[in-house]
Amino acid sequence: MGKTIAVSGKGGVGKSTFATLLVKALSEKSVVLAVDADPNSTLDAMLGVEVNQTIGDLREDLLKNVGDLSPAMSKQDHVDYSLRMAMVEADKFDLVAMGRQEGPGCYCYINNILRTYLDQLSANYDYVVIDNEAGMEHLSRRTTRNVDMMFILSDPTKHGIVTAGRIRELSGSLDLQVKDRCLVISRIAEIPELLSPVIEEAGFDCREVFPEDQNIMESSLTGDPLIDLPADSVAYTRTKEILSKLNI
Ligand SMILES: Nc1ncnc2c1ncn2[C@@H]1O[C@H](COP(=O)(O)OP(=O)(O)OP(=O)(O)O)[C@@H](O)[C@H]1O
Ligand SMILES: [Mg+2]
């Protein structure tokens, strides 16, 4: 069974950027599944691929067409087939996008199949990297269960770290299995002394920085896929250092 790494944090702190560089680094040597768990995400563009169908789209389609499905195939087969369609296969990694979340109705049967499928799918990879939507709501969803490492990103502000601390706390209080958590302060080269007490109070033993990177700024201006960032970019070098330091 491979390792599952989740990236969480409040809005705009660099979650998808960091998740992309995790995929870039890990896919150099291992088989990686990227999971886009943010309905409004741009992870596919950052990874230089295109998602045509999300798991959410599939769920809606299956529900709409449930009466018209070919009797030659079981419901399970239909779901399996559709899910294969939703998988984007790139050279070095695969990507699946979750899309819209479950609606208020009970789609229990389909949801259960989807969950089982995603669990089974995860087993085929050395690493699963989940880019979460901003905030905390996703923590109560299935996609973030059984996580080996949750990176919680924050900007270098007191309020940011306090929010990251809340996410850390919540991730330990729900029916989630998160083994380790690490605070990653984005767009800064070193942790300012003034933030140390705040970080202590927020309860983070593990703390890292993800520096500001000129190449990232350029690719967000040009729209070039972030995955093609030059190998000597500071943020990428740091991402690899973090992974090796944490034995991931
Ligand atoms: N280390 C960095 N150096 C330079 N720019 C960065 C860095 N990290 C993130 N950015 C820029 O900050 C912006 C927000 O980043 P990103 O989209 O990764 O954040 P996010 O947390 O995923 O946002 P959202 O909550 O909307 O999903 C982007 O324009 C990105 O290029
Ligand atoms: Mg994002």
Side-chain angles (χ1 to χ4, degrees):
M1 184 75 187
K3 282 191 172 160
T4 299
I5 302 170
V7 182
S8 298
K10 70 183 174 97
V13 286
K15 296 180 294 298
S16 303
T17 302
F18 187 63
T20 299
L21 296 192
L22 288 175
V23 172
K24 181 177 169 71
L26 294 168
S27 64
E28 273 180 10
K29 292 195 208 108
S30 312
V31 189
V32 179
L33 174 67
V35 177
D36 186 350
D38 180 354
N40 302 307
S41 164
T42 48
L43 188 67
D44 60 341
M46 287 187 179
L47 290 171
V49 293
E50 201 179 332
V51 166
N52 294 315
Q53 226 179 358
T54 67
I55 300 284
D57 297 335
L58 290 174
R59 184 172 41 232
E60 296 303 321
D61 283 356
L62 281 164
L63 282 167
K64 248 185 259 153
N65 302 322
V66 83
D68 307 327
L69 298 180
S70 153
M73 270 165 101
S74 72
K75 246 199 240 176
Q76 172 82 53
D77 289 342
H78 275 288
V79 175
D80 285 352
Y81 173 77
S82 310
L83 281 164
R84 254 176 277 131
M85 299 284 101
M87 182 71 75
V88 180
E89 291 176 12
D91 280 352
K92 293 193 159 177
F93 59 86
D94 293 341
L95 167 68
V96 66
M98 302 307 292
R100 271 169 303 142
Q101 302 305 331
E102 295 156 25
C106 180
Y107 307 162
C108 305
Y109 177 78
I110 287 172
N111 283 336
N112 285 340
I113 296 182
L114 289 172
R115 280 171 191 157
T116 312
Y117 175 84
L118 287 172
D119 284 345
Q120 284 168 354
L121 189 72
S122 306
N124 299 334
Y125 295 86
D126 300 321
Y127 294 97
V128 177
V129 176
I130 306 173
D131 178 26
N132 281 308
E133 65 181 309
M136 305 189 204
E137 210 194 309
H138 65 273
L139 290 172
S140 54
R141 293 198 199 104
R142 182 78 170 102
T143 41
T144 332
R145 273 185 214 167
N146 301 329
V147 167
D148 295 284
M149 171 59 79
M150 177 181 277
F151 287 111
I152 304 175
L153 269 77
S154 172
D155 48 19
T157 64
K158 178 175 178 173
H159 289 306
I161 309 278
V162 169
T163 306
R166 281 201 204 109
I167 294 176
R168 190 196 69 83
E169 223 170 277
L170 191 65
S171 72
S173 67
L174 295 166
D175 174 29
L176 294 169
Q177 279 167 6
V178 181
K179 266 197 217 133
D180 293 307
R181 298 162 187 82
C182 193
L183 172 70
V184 178
I185 307 179
S186 66
R187 306 184 77 153
I188 200 163
E190 268 175 56
I191 298 179
E193 202 41 55
L194 282 172
L195 275 183
S196 288
V198 187
I199 297 171
E200 291 288 322
E201 199 162 324
F204 287 103
D205 300 327
C206 177
R207 65 219 30 198
E208 296 292 338
V209 289
F210 181 63
E212 179 96 3
D213 188 319
Q214 195 61 38
N215 290 327
I216 295 182
M217 286 191 216
E218 262 169 45
S219 63
S220 61
L221 291 175
T222 58
D224 289 341
L226 198 60
I227 191 115
D228 297 332
L229 208 65
D232 59 357
S233 299
V234 285
Y236 183 53
T237 307
R238 194 75 259 281
T239 305
K240 290 204 283 192
E241 283 166 4
I242 294 173
L243 289 172
S244 103
K245 194 170 154 189
L246 300 177
N247 284 323
I248 297 175

